[in-house]
Amino acid sequence: MLAFMLMGLVVSCKPTAELVPWASVDVRWWPHEPPLIKGGEVALNTPSVLDVAPVPEGSEVHLYVSRVGEGDGPCTLPAGLCANIVEPELFATTTAPSQGQVRFQIDGSRFPEAGAIAWQALVLDPELEGVGALTEAIARHVAVPPDQAATNFVEVQRGKIGLENTITSGNTHTGGVAFVDLNNDYWPDLYISNGATFANYLYRNNGDGTFTDFSDAVRKPNGKIECAGVKAADIDNDGDLDLIVPVDNAKTMVSSVAQDYAGGPNLLFVNEGDFTFRGDPEMEAELAGITDPDGRRTSSASVADYDLDGCIDLYLTNWAMAALPAGDNFDRLLHGNCDGTFTDVTAETGVDGKGRDGLVGFWWDADHDRYPELYVGNNSDLDIEPDFEPDDVFYKNDAGTLVEWDDNPHDIGHDAWAAMGVDVGDLDADGEWDMYITDVWMLPPVPHGNALYMGLPGKELTANACRDYGVCFGHNSWPTNFEDFDNDGWIDLWVGSSLRDTPEMLYINAADGSGKLVAHRQQGWTGHVSRAGTTADYDGDGDMDIFLFVEGARPSKLFANTRMDPDHRNETDRHWIEIKLLGGSRSNRAAIGAVARLTAGGVPLMRRVTGGDSAHSHRMLTLHFGLGATDHVDEIEITWPNTEQVQVVRDLAADRFWLVDEELGKIEHTFVDPVATYDAGRGELTVRTASNYGGRARLEVTGLGPLSYDAGDVRYAATFDLEAAPTEVEIVSDLGEPLLIAVDP
């Protein structure tokens, strides 16, 4: 009987044969190192390469491609060997000229359509008659090339916009990014968590596409602290966002070696306004109850109001890899007291991640009852019992009581062996949340891909459907977000790769209700070790931008979405709207957990205010909707976390930013404390005002010119040279009605 080796497994040539543990393999079948396959990403009509290594000198290497994808393929390869790609086609054959590696040149013209593909190679050693080795199959893409992509991301020259330093690094799980508004001017500011010996960074958004450095305000108590991410929430309900920073261990993780479980203490930056934070962040974390009492290392945090009492709650995942016995490294569920402190309720609730090494926690309301469910991604990469068993945990929320979903019919979480990041969006516009999990499955040398679970009514999720939707993403990946990047009204997806020789991926929705996604290649999206990242419309131009945390003592990167640059502003099919929800009367002040729904072009859309997403990061809390050709929104339905009645807000103009309050509904723009004075000696008219829209309005004085926004005091001002004092001036806003004010001579 012939056999082949498949990444540590032996498979019989019979199609129905079962996998046999590697420990029982007779090395006589294939005495060489198992061959691996790398590369294989293809852009339409663009050449690329694919490598197979190691291979014996003189061996025949047969490259197969499947336009269907991975799966249990038939035994149609030479010599009757079984494939694990579906409907394999022989793509090319070559002979290895020497020991080591063979390279296949991929002609992109052989792929007429974009979509998902899979590659697999068969290696036959001429010295071993009848014995062959198959590489593991890899999921790849035939992508739309950059010049034809639906949107265009351009790396921003950071120094020109005030992001002078974004050098980032740390251990394997270090780093995180938050694009959140810390001074209530409705512009997303940028916080970057960093590893030991590297500073954390904080940059204030000036509202004009530039930033000002406030990193001293988030200085670490000591340089050895290894910050593992960041989450933002108003934990004391005082009206501004606070920063929760989990702390890891600075020693680089090696999964095969027992790790130190000591980490922390975690950090808490309590916002005092004006980019100042109260006290020492270690002491504030201890006073708040965030510090782990056993001194364990924390890998991530996630916030929600899980019992709908109006107070923010916190889930902290702990990890140590091989340091602790499996099942003895418990996460912590902390109940918020609405005063900036938390009570540990882990023991009484039993919500602890099953004591496994946790990598990510994620809250979302899967069944639309306002109570958020909790998904916990645990690490399962070790090949000894019980670690090789997938063990992510999905907790259902029954009116504030979290219960593990033991009988989930599709083994949700069993496809994610080492979940890194997670997000939800409605890909097919059916009103249900679809969940995407970035993952490494089995760790290198060859990761399998990520998991996509499509939403069904009643907390139900389908089995992993990443192959069907084209997003298995066969690279080791971490950050990810659902966003409508091309503003056509359909949710898209980006995924960051942690392998330097493979690209980040942008998947654009087919926009036909199928939920299918197609890879669109972007310039400059390669060469990074991406450990975290997040999204925001940082420059207010109506499209979503991406900040990428890069590991390895290299600068992190800001990619600006130029799909809606000035040359495209008049396009009739790319409208947008952004909604900032203001809670506080009953729901938590940041409205975390709220969901907004609208219909654009007959397509139902929904967005949620997140308590953390991607990998170790937190996206902009303002909700962004692409609207396609819809230039006016008739109504938006908002489900607030603590309000049973759905709020309906009507008549909102597109292509602008809106405020919506939990009690007051739609907030119209008004001027705050406007004043105009004339200095006769200087011949100068000075106009000053604030706006209830913070810094989001564009203001000007009729006939004279614009007012400049100052993010330092959240006010507008301008001085004009005039020979004589006018009796009154008119201030005009792009967000509302003009205002006449008298001039004080």
Side-chain angles (χ1 to χ4, degrees):
M1 184 191 308
L2 299 178
F4 63 82
M5 185 162 61
L6 178 61
M7 283 303 300
L9 301 175
V10 166
V11 181
S12 166
C13 67
K14 297 179 181 180
T16 58
E18 296 181 354
L19 298 178
V20 180
W22 170 242
S24 66
V25 170
D26 188 334
V27 295
R28 291 174 300 175
W29 289 112
W30 185 258
H32 311 292
E33 186 177 351
L36 306 175
I37 189 169
K38 292 179 61 178
E41 292 286 354
V42 180
L44 292 173
N45 300 313
T46 303
S48 61
V49 297
L50 186 147
D51 297 321
V52 180
V55 295
E57 181 178 357
S59 59
E60 293 182 3
V61 183
H62 304 266
L63 179 63
Y64 291 83
V65 67
S66 169
R67 300 166 197 267
V68 178
E70 295 178 90
D72 297 322
C75 285
T76 57
L77 296 181
L81 293 176
C82 302
N84 67 331
I85 58 177
V86 180
E87 299 179 15
E89 304 170 19
L90 180 62
F91 189 83
T93 299
T94 190
T95 300
S98 60
Q99 181 80 19
Q101 172 179 297
V102 295
R103 169 161 289 185
F104 291 92
Q105 301 293 329
I106 308 300
D107 181 0
S109 66
R110 293 180 63 175
F111 298 93
E113 296 180 353
I117 58 173
W119 297 101
Q120 190 171 25
L122 168 67
V123 182
L124 298 175
D125 187 337
E127 301 297 325
L128 299 172
E129 183 178 354
V131 175
L134 272 176
T135 67
E136 179 69 72
I138 56 174
R140 290 298 185 261
H141 310 88
V142 178
V144 175
D147 60 352
Q148 301 173 31
T151 190
N152 181 34
F153 282 90
V154 177
E155 184 179 347
V156 177
Q157 296 184 36
R158 296 176 303 279
K160 289 188 175 181
I161 64 170
L163 299 180
E164 298 293 343
N165 188 10
T166 65
I167 301 294
T168 46
S169 195
N171 76 22
T172 309
H173 288 264
T174 294
V177 184
F179 253 132
V180 290
D181 175 20
L182 295 174
N183 63 336
N184 290 330
D185 68 348
Y186 308 120
W187 286 103
D189 308 302
L190 177 63
Y191 173 87
I192 305 171
S193 255
N194 220 339
T197 74
F198 293 88
N200 294 336
Y201 308 120
L202 176 61
Y203 290 99
R204 185 190 68 197
N205 192 326
N206 297 322
D208 59 1
T210 69
F211 294 84
T212 298
D213 191 345
F214 278 84
S215 299
D216 284 345
V218 292
R219 187 184 299 274
K220 297 177 181 179
N222 70 73
K224 297 180 180 180
I225 292 176
E226 186 84 7
C227 297
V230 57
K231 293 296 180 288
D234 187 357
I235 64 172
D236 48 10
N237 271 349
D238 66 349
D240 49 34
L241 291 172
D242 311 298
L243 298 175
I244 300 164
V245 180
V247 175
D248 200 349
N249 186 294
K251 185 177 180 180
T252 299
M253 182 272 289
V254 180
S255 61
S256 60
V257 178
Q259 305 293 296
D260 187 352
Y261 71 86
N266 298 319
L267 305 181
L268 175 62
F269 293 96
V270 181
N271 196 342
E272 297 279 74
D274 195 27
F275 283 84
T276 61
F277 299 90
R278 185 178 71 205
D280 178 274
E282 283 188 354
M283 181 61 69
E284 294 298 329
E286 184 173 351
L287 293 173
I290 292 175
T291 301
D292 192 291
D294 298 322
R296 291 171 296 183
R297 58 200 296 184
T298 304
S299 59
S300 71
S302 187
V303 296
D305 180 5
Y306 78 86
D307 57 353
L308 304 189
D309 64 352
C311 309
I312 282 295
D313 310 307
L314 176 63
Y315 189 82
L316 297 173
T317 59
N318 290 324
W319 81 303
M321 292 297 294
L324 299 175
D328 194 27
N329 196 17
F330 299 100
D331 299 339
R332 299 174 68 212
L333 176 61
L334 306 180
H335 183 267
N337 301 320
C338 264
D339 59 359
T341 67
F342 296 87
T343 300
D344 192 328
V345 295
T346 310
E348 63 192 75
T349 63
V351 179
D352 56 15
K354 298 173 69 173
R356 304 306 299 274
D357 286 320
L359 298 177
V360 62
F362 182 78
W363 300 93
W364 92 108
D365 181 13
D367 59 350
H368 312 295
D369 67 350
R370 299 179 297 117
Y371 289 91
E373 276 64 51
L374 173 64
Y375 182 87
V376 181
N378 289 321
N379 183 72
S380 307
D381 71 297
L382 301 183
D383 58 359
I384 57 175
E385 291 190 16
D387 292 291
F388 65 79
E389 293 294 336
D391 56 2
D392 292 359
V393 189
F394 183 11
Y395 293 100
K396 290 185 176 183
N397 192 335
D398 183 9
T401 299
L402 293 164
V403 180
E404 183 181 346
W405 189 17
D406 291 321
D407 58 346
N408 80 77
H410 301 298
D411 292 332
I412 306 306
H414 285 208
D415 300 287
W417 284 67
M420 301 300 173
V422 61
D423 200 8
V424 295
D426 186 6
L427 285 173
D428 50 4
D430 66 349
E432 302 295 338
W433 296 114
D434 310 312
M435 182 167 66
Y436 190 70
I437 302 172
T438 57
D439 188 60
V440 298
W441 278 26
M442 299 176 186
L443 287 179
V446 179
H448 286 227
N450 303 332
L452 172 67
Y453 302 109
M454 299 299 289
L456 299 169
K459 296 192 189 78
E460 299 293 320
L461 294 164
T462 67
N464 182 12
C466 72
R467 293 189 183 105
D468 295 335
Y469 290 81
V471 291
C472 286
F473 191 82
H475 312 313
N476 188 318
S477 52
W478 295 54
T480 186
N481 283 115
F482 285 107
E483 298 284 4
D484 184 358
F485 290 110
D486 59 351
N487 283 349
D488 67 346
W490 295 85
I491 278 286
D492 310 307
L493 176 71
W494 82 278
V495 188
S497 170
S498 68
L499 302 180
R500 189 169 285 114
D501 60 350
T502 55
E504 277 74 51
M505 299 299 291
L506 176 67
Y507 295 103
I508 298 297
N509 199 308
D512 58 4
S514 68
K516 298 294 181 64
L517 295 154
V518 176
H520 284 228
R521 191 63 49 79
Q522 300 291 295
Q523 296 283 6
W525 280 29
T526 190
H528 316 132
V529 178
S530 307
R531 296 300 197 200
T534 195
T535 57
D537 179 10
Y538 86 92
D539 50 6
D541 65 352
D543 48 35
M544 297 299 287
D545 312 299
I546 296 172
F547 191 90
L548 189 68
F549 181 101
V550 179
E551 196 273 342
R554 289 174 167 82
S556 287
K557 298 175 180 293
L558 174 62
F559 291 98
N561 187 342
T562 62
R563 181 66 182 82
M564 295 294 289
D565 65 16
D567 293 336
H568 295 283
R569 285 189 182 278
N570 294 323
E571 289 190 77
T572 60
D573 61 344
R574 291 294 186 267
H575 295 288
W576 57 274
I577 196 169
E578 291 176 355
I579 313 292
K580 173 63 178 177
L581 299 182
L582 305 175
S585 58
R586 282 170 286 182
S587 301
N588 67 87
R589 291 289 289 269
I592 289 172
V595 177
R597 295 174 174 86
L598 62 85
T599 298
V603 179
L605 311 177
M606 64 180 182
R607 304 287 187 271
R608 53 187 285 278
V609 183
T610 179
D613 48 77
S614 187
H616 309 287
S617 298
H618 208 145
R619 65 147 62 87
M620 176 180 79
L621 298 185
T622 296
L623 303 179
H624 171 270
F625 291 85
L627 300 177
T630 300
D631 60 3
H632 187 276
V633 177
D634 293 329
E635 66 179 37
I636 295 179
E637 294 183 349
I638 300 170
T639 302
W640 295 86
N642 296 65
T643 306
E644 293 187 13
Q645 185 174 357
V646 174
Q647 182 186 56
V648 179
V649 180
R650 294 182 172 85
D651 190 23
L652 292 94
D655 302 324
R656 60 158 288 183
F657 172 88
W658 283 96
L659 295 175
V660 176
D661 184 85
E662 184 177 15
E663 290 293 329
L664 303 175
K666 179 176 64 175
I667 304 293
E668 299 288 356
H669 179 266
T670 60
F671 298 94
V672 179
D673 299 327
V675 60
T677 60
Y678 184 75
D679 185 333
R682 294 177 176 271
E684 293 179 343
L685 172 70
T686 300
V687 180
R688 296 186 178 89
T689 188
S691 164
N692 67 330
Y693 269 67
R696 292 306 301 260
R698 296 176 182 174
L699 306 182
E700 66 175 57
V701 178
T702 301
L704 296 179
L707 298 178
S708 297
Y709 173 64
D710 184 347
D713 60 8
V714 194
R715 292 185 66 84
Y716 296 80
T719 298
F720 307 97
D721 294 329
L722 294 178
E723 294 182 357
T727 58
E728 61 182 14
V729 295
E730 181 184 57
I731 307 177
V732 179
S733 168
D734 67 331
L735 298 182
E737 298 297 321
L739 176 70
L740 284 173
I741 59 172
V743 176
D744 184 10

